[in-house]
Amino acid sequence: MIIVSTDGSCLKNPGGAIGWAWVDHDGPSRSGGAVSGTNQIAELWALVEAIVAHPGAEPLLIESDSQYAIKCASEWLPGWKRKGWKTASGGPVKNLELVQDIDRAITERSGPVRFRWVRGHVGNHYNEIADKLAGEAARAVASTPEKARPWAGLGPRQSPIPPAAAPAPAAASPAPAAAPVRQPEPEPLLTLF
């Protein structure tokens, strides 16, 4: 099973620069951001990126400290889809494009995807790394806004948005020597910056 921690960051919620990040517990990580958004957008964006970056048949477990993101992906999404992308009260689904991209990414992935909520800021190693990377991505976008673009959506069969321009930090805990580090399959990427 692949386990990935995700997180989102917003420097000024709503409307400030946002950052997203995912960290594979066996090695790689990615992050990126946009000039403006909300914390909820950043959290959902991180989920999409994590799912698309892990396309294989091996089961994928995504951990997030965002109950909103977890519930969107695992509880609310099926009902919204059945109701023509409307909420239980008949209103519009917030962050619909990202929710639909999560649905598409889950549907197109060959293996199952599960989600688990974890408490944030209590020393969970991988959650703390994802939090740090998301914050760094948001700050990087805020300092160079001319290089950033908002979420462009996956669209039908498009690839994920690449990591932020800054190099990713080394993995916090290396894999045991006997176990190879699992790398996502290379895919063509869209440009974020």
Side-chain angles (χ1 to χ4, degrees):
M1 175 179 293
I2 302 167
I3 303 174
V4 177
S5 292
T6 66
D7 206 359
S9 174
C10 185
L11 299 184
K12 180 183 174 193
N13 198 30
I18 62 171
W20 58 265
W22 60 259
V23 178
D24 187 316
H25 291 205
D26 285 337
S29 63
R30 287 194 179 167
S31 62
V35 174
S36 179
T38 67
N39 191 55
Q40 292 176 341
I41 289 171
E43 296 283 0
L44 294 173
W45 193 347
L47 290 186
V48 174
E49 294 291 340
I51 297 166
V52 174
H54 296 85
E58 190 172 354
L60 175 62
L61 173 63
I62 297 180
E63 296 182 339
S64 173
D65 63 7
S66 169
Q67 289 189 22
Y68 169 76
I70 295 295
K71 287 180 178 183
C72 278
S74 62
E75 292 179 33
W76 301 331
L77 188 152
W80 290 338
K81 190 174 181 178
R82 276 191 311 275
K83 293 177 177 160
W85 299 108
K86 299 288 183 190
T87 64
S89 65
V93 173
K94 290 184 181 179
N95 306 311
L96 177 61
E97 185 177 359
L98 280 161
V99 172
Q100 289 175 327
D101 283 343
I102 290 169
D103 179 51
R104 184 177 302 116
I106 291 169
T107 302
E108 292 180 356
R109 188 174 189 279
S110 57
V113 181
R114 292 184 317 132
F115 301 90
R116 175 170 57 202
W117 178 76
V118 295
R119 187 174 302 280
H121 311 289
V122 294
N124 177 306
H125 178 70
Y126 295 102
N127 177 260
E128 296 292 340
I129 294 171
D131 178 69
K132 180 179 181 241
L133 292 174
E136 288 172 355
R139 287 187 293 281
V141 168
S143 67
T144 56
E146 67 280 358
K147 295 182 179 180
R149 286 186 285 148
W151 173 252
L154 292 179
R157 304 199 185 280
Q158 289 183 7
S159 298
I161 293 175
S173 60
V181 174
R182 184 175 49 252
Q183 297 291 331
E185 296 173 1
E187 297 182 16
L189 301 173
L190 301 175
T191 303
L192 174 62
F193 292 95

